[in-house]
């Protein structure tokens, strides 16, 4: 009896799946012109995103040389996890992410909250003002910041000198190099975050604020009880996006510290880059990339589950 | 569109793109002189050298290309102008993508092209294109640098060494006599650095960075060397090497004659602290020979002299040397390779080495070029050239880039005062042993 019920359920599930597939194809056929326009982009996605990702995954099980490759099973993964430098880079990247992501999101939220009540013209001005630095290449930003951290002529040592502090060898000492890079990331205006938050804030129904005002809620209470909860999906999006960005931090490292002093500022992507393009160990680099992929995925799932809007 | 048709079109597109990216040329047999009729394009990467009146720093190679193309009208040489700072990374990426050029300027001991590439067949062997006579015109150490397992994998163009550059204006301001004939012991060096330090000036500074060797002669001055002769063992934890590193560290912490940032990674800042008129705060820095030409140029015109590294227990003013040259990347087209070799020989001839020596501040790799005394009227370069006899090369291990990084990162920590010299060199050894024993 139980077997019959189970078989019936399986048949039903199969029939439902077939029906769904058929209706999906019908839907695609119905909108074929739209899909035709999407096709070039889709092809590019497959060629330049999907194929490399799948290829990297396959490579991670191979010892890949320029002239050929051999299958090595999980050896590359074992090597990656046995590497002291890779473990240090995982930790550094984790610390960097834990510090910079909240700073990025909170700064964007606060600035957007201060700009949003302004008129349209002022909003546009601040949008442009805060977004403009985002357009600047990180290479240029890193070069300028490197100069700002200069031991003898840098502005930071000049400022702390006013308060009687000794100059700091910002990028040269193990205990200050990573914090210096984090300070740099935090102080760069989060232009994209501000723009996205502003757009989301302007979409919040004003009647909610009216009702709260009538009930005697202060401006801070309205911000805390209405704005922040209503921005939860946007916050989730920004947290996930900036986490991915933080885990992939690279340009600052290669431009400003090269991962040093010692391994104080080694990050995962910098290690992957060196493994691939300096040591030509593409299999190992691919394994490291796959590990990074899963770390980011786990973080994203965790963040999604914690921050998603249940309503 | 039918599914199968869509599939075929997609596959064709994918194969078409990959075929377009392919670097392989069709292989073909040729008779003795057939290569002269070869028709096609040779792709060459080169970096900026000295500028002409229009500030064009590629004028020399463009002129050579044009002359060669006149001689072989079927040949087109395509120049990819690549800043030196980007050369290594771009070459690495190109090799990884199997889309390498035909010729590139490469210091074979550097990171982007190394012994591994030779083993994997990326670099073409050149023995069949250079006669014994032609080879005998090059200095032995220059030819040796591009030779692996008895086969030649490049044509050397220049030899470089590291030397101490002394800012004589600062010496004069401080009333300090420069070392006689540029020779000094470590103790004499320390005394002079102490006399130069003070009132916003530091006696000495340098930086520590993977693949940069300005500070290394200090580590070698008492007899230390990174690897044993057959490169199977790490030897930089020897007493001699520790003593050498201690001497370098002492300059910062015991004798206090360096800036706090000494041993960091700021190459540009270190150079400016010695050479920029408005930022001159360091009297003595070690540099590779290109810096001599730069300090003689208009932008960083400096009143300076060239000195030896101070001598340690060995009594020799040890320095680190390197050999620059051009390598040919492999191709299946023998005629093309032969033509490419011809062009390489053209730009590395005696006359061209004299021209580059005079204008670009490199020492010729050819004896016949050195015989023409390109530095007869340039005493600073002539002085640096004398140091070449004390130059030792870095080990030519196939994983040298990784070994070098493991050592340099520990040197950074020692120079930061975060580790004792012996501890740093011992810790470097653990990493290096792992790499050697892979």
């Amino acid at each position: 009896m139980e077997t019959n019920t189970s078989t019936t359920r399986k048949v039903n599930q199969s029939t439902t799946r077939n029906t769904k597939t058929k209706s999906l194809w019908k839907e695609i056929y119905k909108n074929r012109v739209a899909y035709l326009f999407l096709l070039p982009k889709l092809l590019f996605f497959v060629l330049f995103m999907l194929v490399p990702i799948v290829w990297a995954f396959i490579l991670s099980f191979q010892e890949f040389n320029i002239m050929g490759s051999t299958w090595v099973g999980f050896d590359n993964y074992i090597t990656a996890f046995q590497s002291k430098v890779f473990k240090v880079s995982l930790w550094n990247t984790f610390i960097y992410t834990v510090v910079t992501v909240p700073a990025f999101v909170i700064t964007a939220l606060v600035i957007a909250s201060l700009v949003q009540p302004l008129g349209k013209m002022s909003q546009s001005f601040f949008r442009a003002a805060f977004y403009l630095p985002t357009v600047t290449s990180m290479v240029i930003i890193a070069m300028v910041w490197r100069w700002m951290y200069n031991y003898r002529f840098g502005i930071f040592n000049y400022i702390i000198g006013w308060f009687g502090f000794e100059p700091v060898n910002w990028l040269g000492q193990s205990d200050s190099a990573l914090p210096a890079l984090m300070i740099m990331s935090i102080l760069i205006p989060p232009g994209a975050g501000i723009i996205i938050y502003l757009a989301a804030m302007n979409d919040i129904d004003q009647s909610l604020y009216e009702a709260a005002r009538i009930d005697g809620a202060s401006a801070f209470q309205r911000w805390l009880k209405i704005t922040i909860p209503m921005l939860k999906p946007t916050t989730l999006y920004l947290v996930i996006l900036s986490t991915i960005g933080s885990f992939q931090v690279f340009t600052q490292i290669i431009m400003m510290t090269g991962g040093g002093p010692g391994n104080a500022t080694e990050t995962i992507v910098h290690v992957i880059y060196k493994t691939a393009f300096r040591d030509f160990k593409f299999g190992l680099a691919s394994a490291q990339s796959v590990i990074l992929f899963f770390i980011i995925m786990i973080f994203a799932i965790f963040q999604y589950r914690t921050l998603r809007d249940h309503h | 569109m039918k599914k199968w048709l869509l599939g075929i079109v997609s596959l064709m597109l994918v194969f078409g793109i990959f075929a377009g990216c392919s670097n392989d040329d069709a292989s073909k047999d040729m008779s003795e002189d057939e290569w002269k009729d070869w028709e096609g394009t040779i792709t060459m990467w080169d970096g900026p050298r000295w500028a002409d009146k229009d500030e064009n720093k590629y004028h020399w190679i463009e002129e050579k290309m044009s002359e060669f193309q006149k001689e072989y009208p079927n040949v087109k040489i395509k120049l990819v102008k690549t800043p030196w700072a980007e050369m290594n990374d771009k070459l690495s990426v190109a090799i990884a993508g199997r889309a390498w050029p035909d010729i590139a300027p490469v210091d074979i001991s550097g990171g982007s092209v190394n012994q591994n590439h030779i083993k994997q067949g990326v670099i073409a062997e050149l023995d069949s294109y250079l006669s014994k006579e032609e080879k005998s015109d090059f200095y032995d150490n220059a030819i040796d640098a591009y030779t692996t397992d008895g086969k030649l994998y490049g044509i050397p163009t220049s030899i470089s060494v590291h030397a101490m550059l002394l800012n004589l204006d600062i010496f004069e301001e401080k009333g300090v006599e420069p070392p006689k004939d540029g020779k000094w012991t470590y103790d004499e060096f320390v005394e002079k650095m102490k006399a130069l330090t003070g009132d916003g000036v530091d006696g000495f500074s340098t930086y520590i960075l993977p693949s940069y060797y300005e500070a290394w002669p200090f580590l070698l001055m008492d007899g230390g060397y990174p690897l044993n002769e057959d490169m199977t063992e790490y030897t930089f934890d020897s007493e001699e090497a520790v003593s050498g590193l201690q001497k370098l560290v002492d300059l910062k912490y015991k004798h206090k004659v360096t800036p706090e940032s000494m041993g960091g990674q700021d190459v540009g800042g270190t150079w400016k602290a010695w050479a920029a008129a408005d930022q001159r705060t360091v009297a003595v820095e070690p540099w590779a020979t290109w810096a001599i030409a730069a300090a003689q140029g208009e932008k960083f015109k400096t009143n300076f002299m060239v000195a030896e590294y101070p001598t340690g227990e060995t009594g020799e003013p040890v320095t680190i040397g390197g050999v620059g040259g051009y390598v040919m990347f492999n191709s299946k087209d023998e005629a093309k390779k032969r033509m490419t070799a011809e062009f390489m020989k053209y730009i590395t001839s005696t006359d061209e080495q004299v021209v580059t020596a005079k204008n670009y501040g490199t020492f010729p790799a050819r004896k016949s070029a050195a015989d023409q005394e390109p530095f007869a009227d340039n005493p600073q370069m002539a002085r640096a050239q004398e140091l070449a006899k004390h130059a030792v090369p870095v080990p030519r291990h196939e994983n040298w880039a990784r070994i070098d990084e493991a050592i340099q990162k520990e040197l950074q920590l020692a120079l930061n005062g975060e580790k004792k010299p012996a501890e740093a060199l011992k810790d470097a050894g653990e990493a290096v042993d792992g790499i050697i024993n892979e």
Side-chain angles (χ1 to χ4, degrees), chain A:
Chain A
M1 188 68 179
E2 269 181 22
T3 319
N4 283 344
T5 317
S6 159
T7 313
T8 316
R9 203 182 299 135
K10 275 180 189 167
V11 170
N12 285 342
Q13 277 175 351
S14 168
T15 318
T16 316
R17 210 177 297 131
N18 282 340
T19 319
K20 272 186 180 173
T21 314
K22 269 182 191 166
S23 66
L24 177 71
W25 281 112
K26 257 187 183 173
E27 195 66 25
I28 290 173
Y29 184 76
K30 206 167 80 184
N31 299 307
R32 59 188 178 281
V33 177
Y35 284 105
L36 203 67
F37 278 107
L38 279 175
L39 194 63
K41 187 72 186 168
L42 196 68
L43 270 177
F44 274 103
F45 169 76
V46 170
L47 265 178
F48 297 111
M49 293 292 289
L50 205 60
V51 170
I53 288 168
V54 173
W55 196 20
F57 189 73
I58 295 166
L59 268 183
S60 71
F61 296 103
Q62 295 180 348
E63 191 182 315
F64 184 86
N65 287 322
I66 294 159
M67 295 300 176
S69 56
T70 46
W71 290 94
V72 292
F74 284 94
D75 280 7
N76 288 326
Y77 289 92
I78 294 164
T79 308
F81 281 118
Q82 281 175 342
S83 160
K84 190 181 153 197
V85 178
F86 186 65
K87 280 187 270 191
V88 169
S89 75
L90 281 176
W91 178 247
N92 288 342
T93 314
F94 174 76
I95 297 291
Y96 181 86
T97 303
V98 164
V99 174
T100 58
V101 170
F104 170 84
V105 176
I106 291 168
T107 315
L109 177 65
V110 170
I111 294 174
S113 301
L114 293 172
V115 171
Q116 198 269 336
L118 304 174
K120 270 191 175 177
M121 286 281 279
S122 307
Q123 268 198 36
S124 301
F125 168 76
F126 282 110
R127 266 200 195 103
F130 283 113
Y131 195 74
L132 209 59
T134 317
V135 180
T136 316
S137 155
M138 182 48 82
V139 174
I140 307 294
I141 294 172
M143 282 166 71
V144 172
W145 274 79
R146 190 181 174 123
W147 182 241
M148 283 160 65
Y149 280 133
N150 185 285
Y151 182 78
R152 198 182 281 261
F153 303 104
I155 193 166
F156 285 104
N157 281 346
Y158 184 70
I159 291 169
I160 64 172
W162 290 343
F163 301 100
F165 291 107
E166 287 292 310
V168 176
N169 190 7
W170 294 97
L171 298 171
Q173 288 284 340
S174 294
D175 50 4
S176 60
L178 189 62
L181 291 174
M182 294 192 291
I183 290 169
M184 172 188 157
S185 294
I186 291 166
L187 292 183
I188 294 172
I194 294 167
I195 299 274
I196 293 168
Y197 264 135
L198 270 175
M201 279 177 188
N202 287 331
D203 272 355
I204 298 174
D205 190 346
Q206 290 302 307
S207 62
L208 293 172
Y209 292 105
E210 290 300 326
R213 208 171 281 129
I214 291 163
D215 287 345
S218 68
F220 182 70
Q221 282 172 324
R222 292 198 297 274
W223 183 74
L224 201 67
K225 301 285 182 187
I226 300 171
T227 309
I228 290 181
M230 294 300 283
L231 291 176
K232 221 173 171 184
T234 313
T235 305
L236 170 67
Y237 171 75
L238 284 176
V239 165
I240 290 177
L241 216 66
S242 54
T243 301
I244 294 168
S246 284
F247 266 106
Q248 293 174 341
V249 58
F250 174 71
T251 317
Q252 300 94 305
I253 308 298
I254 204 161
M255 291 294 299
M256 295 173 76
T257 64
N263 293 316
T265 57
E266 274 300 0
T267 57
I268 306 175
V269 177
H270 189 239
V271 170
I272 292 171
Y273 169 77
K274 285 190 297 182
T275 309
F277 296 117
R278 185 197 65 192
D279 307 337
F280 291 92
K281 291 176 176 286
F282 294 104
L284 179 57
S286 298
Q288 291 166 340
S289 306
V290 172
I291 293 168
L292 175 62
F293 171 82
F294 279 109
I295 290 172
I296 292 176
M297 196 175 79
I298 290 165
F299 261 78
I301 291 170
F302 173 75
Q303 288 164 343
Y304 181 76
R305 284 178 178 265
T306 317
L307 290 172
R308 74 179 155 175
D309 195 343
H310 293 280
H311 307 291

Side-chain angles (χ1 to χ4, degrees), chain B residues 221-258:
Chain B
M221 67 166 53
D222 288 342
Y225 196 69
L227 303 180
N228 65 352
E229 210 164 296
D230 55 4
M231 294 187 289
T232 53
E233 262 179 58
Y234 172 80
T235 52
F236 236 10
D237 51 358
S238 66
E239 266 180 41
E240 292 84 1
V242 172
S243 150
L245 178 56
Q246 186 68 57
K247 282 180 171 149
L248 182 65
V249 171
D250 282 350
L251 293 175
K252 187 171 179 177
Y253 295 105
K254 186 176 168 191
H255 306 302
K256 300 186 189 305
V257 295
T258 74

